[in-house]
Amino acid sequence: MPVNDQPVTLADVAAVANVSAQTVSNVLRRPERVLPKTRRKVEAAIEQLGYHPNHAARALRASTSHVIGLRIEPTSTEVVGSIHDRFLHALAEAGRPSGYHIQLFTADDAAAEAEAARTLIRAGAADGVVLYDVRAQDPRPGLLLAGRVPFVSFGRTVSGTGEYSWVDVDDETGVSDAVDHLVERGHRRIGYIGWPEDFSVGVRRARGWHDAMTRHGLPTDLDARAEDTMPAGSQAAGRLLDDPHPPTAIVAATDTIAVGIHHEATTRGLRPGADLAIVGFDDTPTALAFGLTSIGQPVTEAARAIMELLMDTVAKPDRHAVHGRLLAPRLVVRASSRSARP
Protein backbone atom coordinates (compact mmCIF):
# COMPACT_ATOMS: atom_id res chain seq x y z
CA MET A 1 0.00 0.00 0.00
CA PRO A 2 1.27 3.52 -0.71
CA VAL A 3 2.49 5.53 2.26
CA ASN A 4 3.46 9.11 3.12
CA ASP A 5 0.93 10.55 0.66
CA GLN A 6 2.96 9.33 -2.32
CA PRO A 7 1.06 9.03 -5.61
CA VAL A 8 -0.57 5.67 -6.17
CA THR A 9 1.25 3.72 -8.85
CA LEU A 10 0.25 0.99 -11.25
CA ALA A 11 2.41 -1.41 -9.16
CA ASP A 12 0.38 -0.52 -6.06
CA VAL A 13 -2.82 -1.48 -7.85
CA ALA A 14 -1.25 -4.73 -9.04
CA ALA A 15 -0.21 -5.63 -5.47
CA VAL A 16 -3.68 -5.01 -4.02
CA ALA A 17 -5.40 -6.93 -6.83
CA ASN A 18 -2.77 -9.69 -6.66
CA VAL A 19 -2.12 -9.54 -10.39
CA SER A 20 0.78 -8.43 -12.58
CA ALA A 21 1.41 -4.82 -13.54
CA GLN A 22 0.84 -5.83 -17.18
CA THR A 23 -2.64 -7.07 -16.28
CA VAL A 24 -3.47 -3.71 -14.72
CA SER A 25 -2.15 -1.98 -17.85
CA ASN A 26 -4.34 -4.21 -20.01
CA VAL A 27 -7.42 -3.38 -17.92
CA LEU A 28 -6.73 0.32 -18.47
CA ARG A 29 -5.85 0.15 -22.16
CA ARG A 30 -7.18 -3.14 -23.56
CA PRO A 31 -9.88 -4.41 -21.16
CA GLU A 32 -11.21 -6.87 -23.73
CA ARG A 33 -8.04 -8.93 -23.22
CA VAL A 34 -8.70 -9.52 -19.51
CA LEU A 35 -11.11 -12.07 -18.02
CA PRO A 36 -14.18 -10.39 -16.47
CA LYS A 37 -13.41 -11.76 -12.99
CA THR A 38 -9.84 -10.45 -13.07
CA ARG A 39 -10.97 -7.14 -14.55
CA ARG A 40 -13.41 -6.63 -11.68
CA LYS A 41 -10.62 -7.27 -9.13
CA VAL A 42 -8.40 -4.70 -10.77
CA GLU A 43 -11.20 -2.13 -11.07
CA ALA A 44 -12.00 -2.61 -7.38
CA ALA A 45 -8.36 -2.02 -6.47
CA ILE A 46 -8.26 1.11 -8.63
CA GLU A 47 -11.32 2.49 -6.90
CA GLN A 48 -10.03 1.52 -3.42
CA LEU A 49 -6.68 3.25 -3.94
CA GLY A 50 -7.99 6.20 -5.98
CA TYR A 51 -5.50 5.46 -8.73
CA HIS A 52 -5.23 7.90 -11.67
CA PRO A 53 -3.15 6.88 -14.70
CA ASN A 54 -0.07 9.01 -15.33
CA HIS A 55 -0.97 10.37 -18.75
CA ALA A 56 2.26 12.35 -18.99
CA ALA A 57 4.36 9.23 -18.49
CA ARG A 58 2.19 7.33 -20.95
CA ALA A 59 2.71 10.04 -23.50
CA LEU A 60 6.48 9.82 -23.09
CA ARG A 61 6.43 6.05 -23.52
CA ALA A 62 4.29 6.35 -26.61
CA SER A 63 6.45 9.24 -27.96
CA THR A 64 3.35 11.39 -28.36
CA SER A 65 1.96 14.33 -26.41
CA HIS A 66 -1.40 14.74 -28.19
CA VAL A 67 -0.63 18.46 -28.30
CA ILE A 68 -0.49 20.68 -31.39
CA GLY A 69 1.35 23.99 -31.29
CA LEU A 70 0.04 27.17 -32.88
CA ARG A 71 1.54 30.66 -32.83
CA ILE A 72 -1.07 33.19 -31.79
CA GLU A 73 -1.00 36.58 -33.47
CA PRO A 74 -1.43 39.90 -31.65
CA THR A 75 -4.74 41.64 -32.19
CA SER A 76 -5.18 45.08 -33.73
CA THR A 77 -7.92 47.62 -33.09
CA GLU A 78 -7.85 48.48 -36.82
CA VAL A 79 -8.67 44.92 -37.91
CA VAL A 80 -12.29 43.92 -37.35
CA GLY A 81 -12.70 41.06 -39.78
CA SER A 82 -10.22 38.37 -38.71
CA ILE A 83 -11.15 34.68 -38.78
CA HIS A 84 -8.32 33.78 -36.39
CA ASP A 85 -10.56 33.14 -33.38
CA ARG A 86 -13.00 31.04 -35.42
CA PHE A 87 -10.16 28.99 -36.85
CA LEU A 88 -8.62 28.43 -33.41
CA HIS A 89 -11.93 27.20 -32.03
CA ALA A 90 -12.53 24.98 -35.06
CA LEU A 91 -9.04 23.48 -34.77
CA ALA A 92 -9.58 22.68 -31.09
CA GLU A 93 -12.90 21.04 -31.94
CA ALA A 94 -11.30 19.06 -34.77
CA GLY A 95 -8.67 17.64 -32.43
CA ARG A 96 -11.01 16.69 -29.63
CA PRO A 97 -12.25 13.31 -30.98
CA SER A 98 -8.64 12.10 -31.17
CA GLY A 99 -7.66 13.56 -27.81
CA TYR A 100 -5.53 16.36 -29.28
CA HIS A 101 -5.24 19.76 -27.62
CA ILE A 102 -3.91 23.10 -28.83
CA GLN A 103 -0.97 24.84 -27.18
CA LEU A 104 -0.63 28.50 -28.07
CA PHE A 105 2.70 30.29 -28.12
CA THR A 106 4.03 33.66 -29.23
CA ALA A 107 7.02 34.59 -31.37
CA ASP A 108 8.42 37.84 -32.68
CA ASP A 109 9.17 36.66 -36.22
CA ALA A 110 9.39 33.64 -38.51
CA ALA A 111 12.77 32.48 -37.20
CA ALA A 112 11.59 32.70 -33.60
CA GLU A 113 8.42 30.80 -34.46
CA ALA A 114 10.41 28.01 -36.09
CA GLU A 115 12.76 27.80 -33.11
CA ALA A 116 9.85 27.71 -30.66
CA ALA A 117 8.30 24.89 -32.70
CA ARG A 118 11.56 22.91 -32.69
CA THR A 119 11.83 23.38 -28.93
CA LEU A 120 8.30 22.06 -28.39
CA ILE A 121 9.02 18.98 -30.51
CA ARG A 122 12.41 18.26 -28.92
CA ALA A 123 10.94 18.56 -25.43
CA GLY A 124 8.08 16.22 -26.29
CA ALA A 125 5.64 19.01 -25.46
CA ALA A 126 3.97 18.89 -28.89
CA ASP A 127 3.65 16.41 -31.74
CA GLY A 128 3.48 19.02 -34.49
CA VAL A 129 2.46 22.58 -35.33
CA VAL A 130 0.02 24.42 -37.57
CA LEU A 131 1.19 27.38 -39.62
CA TYR A 132 -1.29 30.23 -39.97
CA ASP A 133 -1.34 33.35 -42.16
CA VAL A 134 1.14 32.06 -44.74
CA ARG A 135 2.61 34.64 -47.13
CA ALA A 136 3.80 34.36 -50.72
CA GLN A 137 7.50 33.98 -49.89
CA ASP A 138 6.99 32.74 -46.33
CA PRO A 139 10.25 31.27 -44.93
CA ARG A 140 8.53 29.21 -42.22
CA PRO A 141 7.77 26.05 -44.25
CA GLY A 142 11.44 25.79 -45.25
CA LEU A 143 12.62 26.41 -41.69
CA LEU A 144 10.31 23.75 -40.26
CA LEU A 145 11.26 21.25 -42.96
CA ALA A 146 14.94 21.82 -42.20
CA GLY A 147 14.25 21.38 -38.49
CA ARG A 148 12.23 18.18 -39.10
CA VAL A 149 9.19 19.66 -37.40
CA PRO A 150 5.89 17.97 -38.39
CA PHE A 151 3.49 20.65 -39.61
CA VAL A 152 0.56 21.49 -41.86
CA SER A 153 -0.16 25.02 -43.05
CA PHE A 154 -3.43 26.87 -43.44
CA GLY A 155 -2.53 28.66 -46.64
CA ARG A 156 0.38 28.10 -49.01
CA THR A 157 3.41 29.78 -50.51
CA VAL A 158 3.70 30.50 -54.24
CA SER A 159 6.41 27.84 -54.63
CA GLY A 160 7.59 24.71 -52.83
CA THR A 161 4.09 23.45 -52.06
CA GLY A 162 5.05 19.96 -53.18
CA GLU A 163 7.30 19.64 -50.13
CA TYR A 164 4.74 20.06 -47.33
CA SER A 165 1.06 19.47 -46.66
CA TRP A 166 -1.31 22.40 -46.74
CA VAL A 167 -5.00 23.29 -46.70
CA ASP A 168 -6.21 26.43 -48.40
CA VAL A 169 -9.32 28.18 -49.67
CA ASP A 170 -9.89 28.74 -53.39
CA ASP A 171 -9.55 32.51 -53.22
CA GLU A 172 -9.66 33.04 -56.97
CA THR A 173 -12.98 31.26 -57.36
CA GLY A 174 -14.42 33.13 -54.37
CA VAL A 175 -13.62 36.56 -55.81
CA SER A 176 -14.68 35.44 -59.28
CA ASP A 177 -18.06 34.43 -57.87
CA ALA A 178 -18.36 37.88 -56.29
CA VAL A 179 -17.70 39.59 -59.63
CA ASP A 180 -20.24 37.32 -61.37
CA HIS A 181 -22.79 38.24 -58.70
CA LEU A 182 -22.21 41.97 -59.21
CA VAL A 183 -22.36 41.66 -63.00
CA GLU A 184 -25.70 39.85 -62.66
CA ARG A 185 -26.89 42.81 -60.56
CA GLY A 186 -26.07 45.18 -63.44
CA HIS A 187 -22.68 46.54 -62.33
CA ARG A 188 -20.01 47.23 -64.96
CA ARG A 189 -17.56 49.53 -63.16
CA ILE A 190 -16.40 47.10 -60.46
CA GLY A 191 -13.36 48.10 -58.43
CA TYR A 192 -11.07 45.98 -56.30
CA ILE A 193 -9.10 46.76 -53.14
CA GLY A 194 -6.59 44.09 -52.18
CA TRP A 195 -3.50 43.43 -50.10
CA PRO A 196 0.05 44.29 -51.09
CA GLU A 197 1.81 41.77 -53.31
CA ASP A 198 3.77 39.99 -50.56
CA PHE A 199 0.60 38.17 -49.43
CA SER A 200 0.00 34.99 -51.45
CA VAL A 201 -3.67 35.16 -50.49
CA GLY A 202 -3.81 38.72 -51.75
CA VAL A 203 -2.20 37.77 -55.06
CA ARG A 204 -4.75 35.03 -55.68
CA ARG A 205 -7.74 37.15 -54.72
CA ALA A 206 -6.56 39.96 -57.01
CA ARG A 207 -6.09 37.43 -59.82
CA GLY A 208 -9.64 36.18 -59.29
CA TRP A 209 -10.99 39.72 -59.74
CA HIS A 210 -8.82 40.50 -62.75
CA ASP A 211 -9.61 37.23 -64.57
CA ALA A 212 -13.35 37.54 -63.90
CA MET A 213 -13.43 41.13 -65.13
CA THR A 214 -11.54 40.11 -68.27
CA ARG A 215 -13.90 37.19 -68.83
CA HIS A 216 -16.86 39.60 -68.74
CA GLY A 217 -15.08 42.06 -71.05
CA LEU A 218 -14.96 44.73 -68.31
CA PRO A 219 -12.16 47.24 -67.55
CA THR A 220 -9.55 46.40 -64.90
CA ASP A 221 -8.33 49.93 -64.20
CA LEU A 222 -10.05 50.31 -60.79
CA ASP A 223 -7.45 48.28 -58.86
CA ALA A 224 -6.08 49.57 -55.56
CA ARG A 225 -3.94 47.98 -52.81
CA ALA A 226 -4.03 48.62 -49.08
CA GLU A 227 -2.95 47.18 -45.76
CA ASP A 228 -5.61 45.13 -43.96
CA THR A 229 -6.93 47.95 -41.77
CA MET A 230 -10.09 50.03 -41.81
CA PRO A 231 -8.28 53.38 -42.35
CA ALA A 232 -6.26 51.94 -45.25
CA GLY A 233 -9.42 50.51 -46.80
CA SER A 234 -11.14 53.85 -46.46
CA GLN A 235 -8.24 55.72 -48.10
CA ALA A 236 -8.05 53.24 -50.99
CA ALA A 237 -11.80 53.53 -51.53
CA GLY A 238 -11.42 57.30 -51.66
CA ARG A 239 -8.89 56.99 -54.46
CA LEU A 240 -11.23 54.80 -56.50
CA LEU A 241 -14.25 57.01 -55.86
CA ASP A 242 -12.28 60.08 -56.97
CA ASP A 243 -11.80 58.52 -60.42
CA PRO A 244 -13.54 60.45 -63.22
CA HIS A 245 -15.54 57.28 -63.83
CA PRO A 246 -15.90 55.86 -60.31
CA PRO A 247 -17.01 52.33 -59.57
CA THR A 248 -20.59 51.41 -58.74
CA ALA A 249 -19.30 48.37 -56.85
CA ILE A 250 -16.08 47.40 -55.02
CA VAL A 251 -14.82 43.96 -54.06
CA ALA A 252 -12.52 43.92 -51.01
CA ALA A 253 -9.88 41.34 -50.10
CA THR A 254 -11.16 41.25 -46.50
CA ASP A 255 -14.12 42.30 -44.41
CA THR A 256 -11.89 44.79 -42.59
CA ILE A 257 -11.13 46.60 -45.85
CA ALA A 258 -14.84 46.35 -46.76
CA VAL A 259 -15.75 48.15 -43.53
CA GLY A 260 -13.27 50.88 -44.48
CA ILE A 261 -15.01 51.17 -47.87
CA HIS A 262 -18.38 51.35 -46.10
CA HIS A 263 -17.09 54.17 -43.89
CA GLU A 264 -15.73 56.15 -46.86
CA ALA A 265 -18.96 55.73 -48.78
CA THR A 266 -21.15 56.99 -45.94
CA THR A 267 -18.75 59.88 -45.29
CA ARG A 268 -19.29 60.97 -48.89
CA GLY A 269 -23.07 60.67 -48.56
CA LEU A 270 -23.27 57.45 -50.57
CA ARG A 271 -25.59 54.69 -49.44
CA PRO A 272 -23.86 51.29 -49.28
CA GLY A 273 -25.91 48.85 -51.27
CA ALA A 274 -27.90 51.53 -53.08
CA ASP A 275 -25.24 53.94 -54.41
CA LEU A 276 -22.21 51.68 -54.00
CA ALA A 277 -22.23 47.89 -53.79
CA ILE A 278 -19.61 46.39 -51.45
CA VAL A 279 -18.42 42.78 -51.16
CA GLY A 280 -15.97 41.61 -48.50
CA PHE A 281 -14.12 38.37 -47.87
CA ASP A 282 -14.19 35.99 -44.84
CA ASP A 283 -17.85 36.43 -43.79
CA THR A 284 -16.95 37.48 -40.26
CA PRO A 285 -19.47 38.60 -37.62
CA THR A 286 -18.52 42.14 -38.66
CA ALA A 287 -19.90 41.48 -42.15
CA LEU A 288 -23.16 40.32 -40.62
CA ALA A 289 -23.33 43.39 -38.37
CA PHE A 290 -22.79 45.77 -41.31
CA GLY A 291 -25.03 43.86 -43.70
CA LEU A 292 -22.07 43.23 -46.00
CA THR A 293 -22.15 40.62 -48.72
CA SER A 294 -19.05 38.52 -48.13
CA ILE A 295 -17.20 35.42 -49.33
CA GLY A 296 -17.28 32.89 -46.52
CA GLN A 297 -14.33 30.61 -45.78
CA PRO A 298 -15.10 26.98 -44.80
CA VAL A 299 -13.17 27.33 -41.55
CA THR A 300 -14.56 24.21 -39.86
CA GLU A 301 -13.85 22.04 -42.89
CA ALA A 302 -10.34 23.50 -43.14
CA ALA A 303 -9.58 22.78 -39.48
CA ARG A 304 -10.72 19.17 -39.82
CA ALA A 305 -8.60 18.66 -42.93
CA ILE A 306 -5.56 20.21 -41.24
CA MET A 307 -5.90 17.99 -38.19
CA GLU A 308 -6.33 14.89 -40.34
CA LEU A 309 -3.22 15.67 -42.39
CA LEU A 310 -1.20 16.59 -39.32
CA MET A 311 -2.01 13.36 -37.50
CA ASP A 312 -0.89 11.45 -40.58
CA THR A 313 2.34 13.46 -40.65
CA VAL A 314 2.96 12.80 -36.96
CA ALA A 315 2.22 9.09 -37.27
CA LYS A 316 4.54 8.64 -40.27
CA PRO A 317 7.17 11.41 -40.04
CA ASP A 318 9.50 9.85 -42.63
CA ARG A 319 7.03 8.31 -45.06
CA HIS A 320 3.83 10.35 -44.94
CA ALA A 321 2.36 11.54 -48.23
CA VAL A 322 2.38 15.27 -48.98
CA HIS A 323 -1.10 16.59 -49.71
CA GLY A 324 -2.63 19.89 -50.75
CA ARG A 325 -6.35 20.46 -50.28
CA LEU A 326 -8.17 23.37 -51.89
CA LEU A 327 -11.58 24.12 -50.39
CA ALA A 328 -14.43 26.02 -52.03
CA PRO A 329 -15.69 29.26 -50.42
CA ARG A 330 -19.32 30.41 -50.48
CA LEU A 331 -20.76 33.82 -51.35
CA VAL A 332 -23.13 35.07 -48.65
CA VAL A 333 -25.37 37.76 -50.14
CA ARG A 334 -26.65 40.62 -47.97
CA ALA A 335 -27.95 44.15 -48.46
CA SER A 336 -24.62 45.72 -49.49
CA SER A 337 -24.71 44.32 -53.03
CA ARG A 338 -28.00 45.43 -54.48
CA SER A 339 -28.62 46.04 -58.16
CA ALA A 340 -26.86 48.92 -59.88
CA ARG A 341 -28.76 52.15 -60.27
CA PRO A 342 -30.37 52.55 -63.70
Side-chain angles (χ1 to χ4, degrees):
M1 295 287 290
V3 294
N4 299 327
D5 295 324
Q6 293 299 310
V8 177
T9 67
L10 186 144
D12 295 327
V13 175
V16 170
N18 195 27
V19 298
S20 69
Q22 183 59 53
T23 298
V24 177
S25 178
N26 286 341
V27 169
L28 293 170
R29 304 180 65 181
R30 303 178 183 88
E32 71 281 357
R33 294 187 176 184
V34 184
L35 292 173
K37 180 179 178 180
T38 303
R39 189 166 66 240
R40 287 193 293 271
K41 284 174 55 180
V42 172
E43 290 170 346
I46 289 173
E47 183 176 358
Q48 175 186 337
L49 297 175
Y51 172 69
H52 298 285
N54 189 333
H55 294 291
R58 180 182 297 175
L60 289 175
R61 288 195 299 271
S63 299
T64 180
S65 65
H66 276 73
V67 171
I68 298 301
L70 176 69
R71 175 189 179 187
I72 189 169
E73 301 284 348
T75 59
S76 169
T77 56
E78 295 182 337
V79 177
V80 298
S82 173
I83 65 167
H84 186 271
D85 290 347
R86 286 168 54 205
F87 174 70
L88 181 59
H89 183 270
L91 193 65
E93 286 290 321
R96 189 167 61 172
S98 301
Y100 272 87
H101 303 279
I102 309 302
Q103 177 169 323
L104 303 178
F105 63 93
T106 60
D108 293 332
D109 52 33
E113 181 177 353
E115 181 57 33
R118 285 194 294 268
T119 299
L120 287 172
I121 300 301
R122 287 197 299 263
D127 296 337
V129 298
V130 173
L131 290 186
Y132 183 82
D133 197 19
V134 177
R135 298 194 177 198
Q137 306 297 334
D138 205 309
R140 293 176 297 168
L143 292 171
L144 294 185
L145 287 170
R148 298 182 64 82
V149 175
F151 75 95
V152 174
S153 72
F154 186 21
R156 65 196 193 276
T157 50
V158 294
S159 61
T161 51
E163 299 177 7
Y164 62 91
S165 290
W166 52 267
V167 175
D168 207 354
V169 175
D170 191 346
D171 300 292
E172 294 180 43
T173 295
V175 175
S176 179
D177 289 346
V179 172
D180 291 347
H181 164 72
L182 292 169
V183 170
E184 289 173 2
R185 296 293 177 98
H187 295 279
R188 295 297 179 267
R189 293 287 287 172
I190 303 171
Y192 176 77
I193 300 177
W195 288 337
E197 293 293 334
D198 60 330
F199 288 90
S200 56
V201 171
V203 170
R204 290 192 294 271
R205 293 180 185 180
R207 186 185 302 130
W209 171 80
H210 184 277
D211 290 352
M213 294 291 286
T214 301
R215 174 164 48 81
H216 285 289
L218 299 176
T220 57
D221 57 311
L222 295 171
D223 183 357
R225 301 303 162 93
E227 296 294 334
D228 190 22
T229 67
M230 290 181 291
S234 179
Q235 293 169 8
R239 294 195 297 271
L240 293 185
L241 293 171
D242 285 338
D243 189 273
H245 303 285
T248 62
I250 301 177
V251 178
T254 68
D255 286 344
T256 293
I257 293 175
V259 171
I261 299 170
H262 188 285
H263 173 76
E264 183 66 21
T266 55
T267 298
R268 291 170 177 247
L270 300 175
R271 296 167 298 166
D275 301 318
L276 179 69
I278 305 170
V279 178
F281 204 117
D282 292 332
D283 192 31
T284 60
T286 300
L288 176 62
F290 276 78
L292 292 172
T293 294
S294 187
I295 304 155
Q297 296 202 44
V299 175
T300 299
E301 184 181 353
R304 289 172 179 166
I306 287 170
M307 192 61 70
E308 177 185 333
L309 291 174
L310 189 53
M311 285 190 288
D312 180 63
T313 302
V314 169
K316 297 175 288 186
D318 297 318
R319 53 188 177 88
H320 70 278
V322 172
H323 292 285
R325 296 189 184 178
L326 197 60
L327 306 179
R330 181 174 65 92
L331 185 68
V332 180
V333 178
R334 299 190 179 94
S336 73
S337 60
R338 297 174 184 166
S339 299
R341 290 183 300 174

